[in-house]
């Protein structure tokens, strides 16, 4: 594959492009879906292609093809070069990748059991096992859906600076969702597991039965749960939800392109105190606590452990080489592309709230009275920092004890208020990633990322409530 | 720019023969080629993206065992490998009792949507100019505008579907859009606004687009707080109502979801699911509609389907898998292995957006920016979404409010549609007017 990239770069130089970056990808997916107690669908997809990014006279253009012959490569190089020249006519501030000392290499990830070496039967078993366990425990079931997914492949990179690398990807995930009907009302619950790993994750790490039991048990409880109240409450936020908050409502605002274009409310705020002493947010390429493994980004920059918010003070942004030139001159390794169909843009790696010294076993006691918000079905934010997150479920806590369960609850507010309200972080950091889900930005979805945090204690959070 | 339909259809023909020769009972093949140019401005930077994705997907059936595989390439070797993969899956997958057969050809006249040469000929230069003009205009509109980003995009797609039952069809379409998003300095923090235009008919003048985006952001720089939880009537502007409508109805009208009892409308065909003010149509043949094609993803002719007629649920949307299993008509809504709506239309009344607002003494008006629509529960209909730019209509005046949460059950509140406007706007989800509705809890 490197010879194709070499040809693309040489041809870019030949026709006069100032800077070029060539990427290639070969990625395979397999997905298995069970419904109605039966395997309904098995699909296999393969994504292959080669793409070229050209920066010429301060403008950037990208073009790709799924053909690897020389004529097709020439064609995309010419196309990108032409588009860059056109765009260059309207450039006010020229785009320039920050100079760097890149590191060429082969970034291999050692999995114990490659997906390729596992019989499809073994993979089918996973969704069946989820179903078999869940159906016996869950009550009033209308439908159970479980899906298995795997992705593996390799990315290749070469730029005009001569930096080249190849990088492995291995992702897997299992989603289980149970739908029930009680007194005419549909009530659903789903759980998800996943990792950057080979198939050994399902044989050595995860117990499908335990995972399915959890999903079914929570669903049964939700059938009796009340709607969450609306209003402001003291709150405890669980790890996964903390991660989504770190990613969605804060991480995006630190992405270099949003900062540089003043779209982010965090623009020009480096050094400012935005949150409490307990609010520390980090974005890292290869965290020890797990998550998505990303040693190098799609511009050939080694990823760093990037502290974004340090004890409440904004200290960093997430950069591509281009935004680093404009912003703080720090290369963080955050230029990422969802696939060969797109150029890299500033995206997150593994974004998490840093843990602290509060003991997780004392979390309910420390919350004392309030709402314990658990997991999430996702949420949405706006560039002004407003957010809305839906928790998977929540508990009412009175005098340090769980007294009631709430169905899905809604957290709303502005991230800058949220950060100020963090009273403490616990010592139980967890970072998650999965084949399923991912981050979306600029039409590039789903980009696999990692996210997480410890439990967080909040002085006050606004809950929207399902009904009042 | 345009590709030849015959070329795709003849390639599909070869693929079908090849797969049948390998011993499968039936086969369906899909080929797609797209071309697009996307220009983005972010602050001072400008980026161009030329895309030319191709896709090949094959479904093979051995009895009731179906294998599906795809690849992003039309090269012979890749096609060959993908056929083999699908056959391999069909050999290991258990029988699917719900699979009857791939789509049979049906006689129903249908057409591609409008294809404009003017749009097909839009160049990178044209798109750069459009986006620069629009973003510059938004910044010039007011000194409080602190940022403006824009996107201009043109795309073309052609696809062909063939199967061993005798279907071999092709369809093509092209369109473009331009969007501007701005941030304005507000009393506290910033406020945001956006505006866009989308068309497959002709290249429109972008003048006024940037100003409109700025106007939307500036309207909210001094918001007031709405006290407590209230149930005012709500007026949703066309482009906002479409968001929640497509998320909810796209799910619940799918016969695949009905088949597995995952839809709120399971067992409700023929029942009143909305009040008489509400008639919903899925129009896959609206000439200017962005989702209009001659055929759906499995070669079935698109059509106009009335789904809710004056409140009564009269049809689901189907693909061959669900239609044959449930004995329903083929509505031409296959999107591959799922059922998707095309262009939604709601039958309108006789007032514009302002008219709808003025018909109330007091109401809350939602113009743009709903957060969390995509995370609403489309199975149950429960939603709780954050409207970041709401307005309160009171004493003949519109006042901006701080963000409010809107909560309720979408399927139930369709019984509370007060009035539908006539201010139709072309959107990615259809051709839709503004809607006045009550029964939604609004809390701050």
């Amino acid at each position: 594959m490197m010879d194709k990239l070499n040809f693309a770069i040489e041809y870019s130089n030949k026709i006069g492009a100032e800077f070029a970056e060539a990427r290639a990808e070969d990625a395979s997916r397999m997905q298995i879906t069970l419904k109605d107690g039966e395997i309904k669908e098995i699909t296999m997809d393969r994504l292959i292609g080669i793409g070229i990014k050209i920066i010429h006279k301060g403008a950037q253009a990208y073009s790709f093809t799924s053909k690897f012959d020389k004529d097709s490569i020439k064609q995309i190089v010419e196309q990108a070069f032409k588009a860059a020249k056109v765009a260059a006519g309207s450039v006010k501030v020229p785009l320039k990748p920050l100079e760097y000392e890149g590191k060429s290499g082969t970034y291999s990830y050692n999995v114990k059991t490659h997906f390729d070496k596992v019989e499809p039967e073994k993979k089918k078993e996973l969704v069946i096992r989820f179903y078999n366990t869940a159906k016996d425990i869950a009550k009033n079931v209308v439908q159970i859906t479980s899906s298995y997914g795997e992705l593996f492949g390799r990315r290749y990179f070469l730029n005009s600076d001569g930096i080249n690398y190849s990088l492995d990807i291995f992702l897997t995930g299992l989603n289980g969702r149970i739908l029930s009907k009680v007194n005419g009302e549909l009530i659903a619950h789903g759980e998800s597991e996943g990792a950057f790993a080979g198939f050994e994750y399902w044989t050595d790490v995860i117990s499908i039965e335990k995972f399915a039991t959890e999903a079914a048990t929570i669903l049964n409880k939700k059938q009796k749960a009340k709607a969450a109240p609306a209003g402001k409450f003291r709150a405890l936020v669980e790890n996964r939800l903390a991660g989504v908050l770190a990613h969605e409502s804060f991480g995006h605002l630190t992405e270099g392109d949003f900062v540089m274009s003043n779209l982010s409310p965090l623009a020009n705020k480096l050094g400012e105190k935005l949150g409490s002493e307990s609010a520390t947010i980090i974005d890292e390429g290869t965290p020890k606590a797990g998550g998505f493994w990303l040693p190098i980004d799609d511009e050939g920059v080694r990823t760093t452990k990037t502290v974004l918010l340090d004890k409440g003070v904004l200290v960093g942004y997430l950069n591509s080489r281009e935004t680093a030139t404009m912003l703080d001159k720090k290369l963080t390794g955050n230029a990422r592309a969802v696939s060969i169909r797109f150029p890299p843009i500033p995206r997150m790696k593994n974004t998490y709230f840093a843990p602290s010294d509060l003991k997780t076993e004392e979390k309910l006691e420390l919350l004392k009275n309030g709402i314990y918000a658990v997991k999430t079905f996702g949420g949405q934010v706006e560039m002004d920092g407003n957010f809305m997150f839906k928790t998977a479920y929540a508990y009412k806590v009175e005098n340090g004890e769980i007294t009631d369960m709430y169905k899905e609850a809604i957290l709303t507010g502005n991230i800058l208020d949220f950060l100020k309200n963090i009273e403490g972080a616990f010592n139980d950091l967890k970072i998650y990633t999965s084949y399923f889900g991912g981050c979306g930005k600029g039409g590039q979805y789903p980009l696999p990322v990692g996210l997480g945090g410890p439990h967080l204690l909040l002085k006050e959070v606004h809950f929207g409530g399902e009904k009042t | 720019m345009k590709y030849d339909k015959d070329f795709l259809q003849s390639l599909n023909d070869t693929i079908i023969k090849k797969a049948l020769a390998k011993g499968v009972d039936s086969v369906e093949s899909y080929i797609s080629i797209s071309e697009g140019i996307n220009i983005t401005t972010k602050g001072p930077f400008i980026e161009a993206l030329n895309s030319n994705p191709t896709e090949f997907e094959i479904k093979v059936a051995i009895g009731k065992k179906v294998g599906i595989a795809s690849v992003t390439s039309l090269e012979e070797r890749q096609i060959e490998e993908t056929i083999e993969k699908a056959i391999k899956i069909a050999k290991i997958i258990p029988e699917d009792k719900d699979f009857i057969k791939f789509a049979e050809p049906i006689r129903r006249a249908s057409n591609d949507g409008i294809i404009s040469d003017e749009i097909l000929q839009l160049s990178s230069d044209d798109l750069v100019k459009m986006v620069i003009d629009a973003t510059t205009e938004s910044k010039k509109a007011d000194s409080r505008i602190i940022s403006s980003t824009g996107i201009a995009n043109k795309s073309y797609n052609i696809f062909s579907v063939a199967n061993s039952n005798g279907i071999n069809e092709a369809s093509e379409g092209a369109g473009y859009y331009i969007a501007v998003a701005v941030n304005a300095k507000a009393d506290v923090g910033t406020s945001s606004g956006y505006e866009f235009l989308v068309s497959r008919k002709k290249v429109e003048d972008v003048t006024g687009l940037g100003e409109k985006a700025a106007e939307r952001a500036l309207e909210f720089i001094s918001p007031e707080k709405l006290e407590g939880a209230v149930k005012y009537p709500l007026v949703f502007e066309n482009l906002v109502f479409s968001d929640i409508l497509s998320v909810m109805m796209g799910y619940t009208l799918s016969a695949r979801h009905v088949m597995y009892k995952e839809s709120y409308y399971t067992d409700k065909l023929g029942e009143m699911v909305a009040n008489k003010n509400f008639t919903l149509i899925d129009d896959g043949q609206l000439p200017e509609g962005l989702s209009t094609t001659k055929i759906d993803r499995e070669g079935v002719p698109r059509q106009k389907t009335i789904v809710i007629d004056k409140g009564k649920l009269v049809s689901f949307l189907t693909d061959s898998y669900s239609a044959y299993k449930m004995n329903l008509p083929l509505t031409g809504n296959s999107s591959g292995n799922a059922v998707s709506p095309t262009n939604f239309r709601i039958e309108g009344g006789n007032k514009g957006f302002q008219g709808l607002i003025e018909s109330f003494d007091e109401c809350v008006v939602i113009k743009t920016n709903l957060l969390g629509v995509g995370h609403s529960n489309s199975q149950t209909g429960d939603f709780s979404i954050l409207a970041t730019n709401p307005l309160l209509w009171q004493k003949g005046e519109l006042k901006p409010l701080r963000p409010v949460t809107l909560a309720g059950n979408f399927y139930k509140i369709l019984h509370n549609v007060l009035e539908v406007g006539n201010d139709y706007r072309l959107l990615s989800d259809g051709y839709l007017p503004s809607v006045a509705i009550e029964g939604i809890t609004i809390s701050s």
Side-chain angles (χ1 to χ4, degrees), chain B residues 62-78:
Chain B
I62 303 173
K64 277 179 171 290
K65 294 158 75 161
V66 182
I68 308 171
S70 75
V71 64
T72 60
S73 166
L74 297 181
E75 290 189 342
E76 205 181 332
R77 189 166 61 89
Q78 298 298 339

Side-chain angles (χ1 to χ4, degrees), chain A residues 98-115:
Chain A
L98 188 70
E99 295 295 326
Y100 76 138
E101 278 185 35
K103 202 172 167 202
S104 297
T106 303
Y107 297 88
S108 303
Y109 190 87
N110 290 323
V111 293
K112 190 171 138 194
T113 320
H114 194 294
F115 299 114

Side-chain angles (χ1 to χ4, degrees), chain A residues 35 40 44-46 48 60 62 66 95 124 142 177 179 185-186 261 263 377 379-380 382 390 462 466, chain B residues 45 48 50 54 69-70 72 81 92 96 98 147 183 261-262 369 372 375 379-380 388 407 412 444:
Chain A
K35 229 179 227 304
K40 280 284 164 197
M44 288 169 90
D45 307 322
R46 186 167 172 205
I48 49 174
Q60 176 186 307
Y62 185 80
S66 51
L95 196 71
K124 274 157 57 182
V142 175
R177 186 173 170 83
L179 180 68
E185 294 281 328
L186 290 166
S261 57
L263 262 186
F377 292 146
Q380 208 180 338
E382 264 186 353
K390 192 168 192 171
H462 188 273
E466 285 283 306
Chain B
F45 293 169
N50 285 291
T54 52
S70 75
T72 60
E81 263 182 43
I92 56 157
D96 180 357
D98 298 329
S147 73
N183 268 9
K261 299 183 175 59
E262 294 168 311
N369 301 21
H375 301 289
Q379 284 183 333
T380 63
T388 55
K412 289 179 186 165
S444 60

Side-chain angles (χ1 to χ4, degrees), chain A residues 157-201:
Chain A
F157 177 93
L158 174 68
N159 68 10
S160 310
D161 302 333
I163 303 302
N164 70 81
Y165 74 81
S166 65
L167 170 72
D168 282 343
I169 181 167
F170 290 95
L171 257 188
T172 185
L174 189 77
N175 272 359
R177 186 173 170 83
I178 316 167
L179 180 68
S180 66
K181 199 171 195 174
V182 182
N183 301 326
E185 294 281 328
L186 290 166
I187 297 164
H189 184 66
E191 293 278 341
S192 179
E193 281 291 351
F196 191 105
F199 196 75
E200 70 278 1
Y201 185 67

Side-chain angles (χ1 to χ4, degrees), chain B residues 385-402:
Chain B
I385 49 189
L386 187 70
T388 55
N389 286 359
L391 295 149
L392 179 66
W393 170 254
Q394 217 170 29
K395 294 174 188 157
E397 228 186 306
L398 269 179
K399 286 182 283 191
L401 294 175
R402 302 228 332 238

